Amino acid sequence: MKRNPVTLATAAVLLVIFAFMLFSFQVRQTEVAVVTTFGEYSRSITEPGIKGRLPWPIQKVYEFDNRIQTYERKFEQTITKDQINLLVSVYAGWRIADPRRFLERFNGDVSKAEQTLEPLIRNAKTGVIGQHLFSDLVSTNVSSLKFDQIEDEILKIVKDEARNTYGIQIEFLGIKQLGLPESITSTIFERMRAERQRLVAKYQSEGER
């Protein structure tokens, strides 16, 4: 029986497309990927494009979003070096730096990664702020504030461990908000008012001289 050339051509095209889909996959500009062979790590892919693979179940491809993820913590109580309770809210931006380690640690689950980042950031924040005075964060004298220094110190602690242990790159970290517990708000305001009055008296004295 003579076959229709159009039918044969169509079948050939479909066969090529099927083979292409079976033996290749695409990594987008915003993604990284890990390829495993029989469940064991084979290679990481961090560059976008069409990549080759063996069909499942021989090889399996895990694709992860590599765009920066935003992480925020709600107010948490932290004690300064001079033993003042301060409510601090911290934010951070992170992305996947080592796809293999990210897969092994979290099975590619972003929520699990953020659950791991939570105590890491909290401990770093508590440790750093505990080495600074309250006036480094809250003061009527702007020149005495050390926000940038404190943020850099927290970032350095978190960045190294997140990268080396979890395959996560912390791109930025900062203090979003500060607050005071109700129990000490009035005491702090009185202290700040007294500090401002001392500055006023100083300037008045200099003016009179």
Side-chain angles (χ1 to χ4, degrees):
M1 180 178 179
K2 194 172 182 180
R3 296 184 180 272
N4 190 323
V6 175
T7 303
L8 292 175
T10 302
V13 170
L14 292 175
L15 183 62
V16 169
I17 293 174
F18 178 75
F20 179 79
M21 294 176 62
L22 196 62
F23 289 92
S24 68
F25 65 99
Q26 180 181 7
V27 178
R28 295 181 177 84
Q29 191 74 35
T30 57
E31 293 178 332
V32 291
V34 174
V35 179
T36 61
T37 303
F38 295 116
E40 298 295 328
Y41 172 80
S42 180
R43 69 186 192 274
S44 296
I45 300 171
T46 57
E47 296 296 327
I50 302 297
K51 312 295 180 181
R53 68 165 180 186
L54 295 175
W56 185 88
I58 299 174
Q59 288 190 328
K60 185 174 181 180
V61 179
Y62 298 85
E63 296 172 332
F64 308 128
D65 190 336
N66 197 36
R67 289 172 292 188
I68 293 178
Q69 308 286 331
T70 302
Y71 166 87
E72 290 188 12
R73 284 295 302 148
K74 296 180 180 179
F75 274 132
E76 290 180 333
Q77 189 164 295
T78 307
I79 300 176
T80 62
K81 185 177 181 180
D82 44 354
Q83 299 300 303
I84 294 178
N85 289 330
L86 188 64
L87 299 176
V88 183
S89 173
V90 176
Y91 68 92
W94 65 276
R95 65 176 183 81
I96 301 170
D98 185 336
R100 176 184 183 179
R101 191 161 296 179
F102 188 80
L103 175 64
E104 292 173 347
R105 286 285 184 172
F106 310 114
N107 198 31
D109 192 328
V110 170
S111 62
K112 288 182 180 179
E114 293 197 338
Q115 289 172 9
T116 300
L117 283 177
E118 180 179 344
L120 182 61
I121 292 176
R122 182 176 63 246
N123 293 339
K125 177 205 65 178
T126 301
V128 170
I129 292 180
Q131 297 173 4
H132 286 269
L133 299 173
F134 178 81
S135 58
D136 291 343
L137 289 160
V138 180
S139 176
T140 55
N141 184 4
V142 177
S143 62
S144 69
L145 296 176
K146 297 181 179 179
F147 260 91
D148 291 343
Q149 178 184 334
I150 291 171
E151 289 174 341
D152 288 344
E153 290 175 7
I154 298 173
L155 176 60
K156 186 178 186 306
I157 295 172
V158 173
K159 192 172 186 176
D160 292 342
E161 186 169 351
R163 180 65 176 83
N164 297 331
T165 307
Y166 305 112
I168 292 174
Q169 176 71 28
I170 306 295
E171 297 290 350
F172 56 82
L173 182 147
I175 295 173
K176 183 178 181 181
Q177 286 180 306
L178 294 176
L180 296 171
E182 285 187 27
S183 58
I184 66 168
T185 300
S186 58
T187 304
I188 296 300
F189 283 162
E190 285 299 325
R191 178 186 294 187
M192 294 176 66
R193 188 176 294 112
E195 182 181 346
R196 185 178 292 268
Q197 288 300 325
R198 283 195 297 270
L199 290 173
V200 170
K202 175 186 175 184
Y203 295 145
Q204 285 178 340
S205 175
E206 290 177 351
E208 291 173 357
R209 288 199 298 271

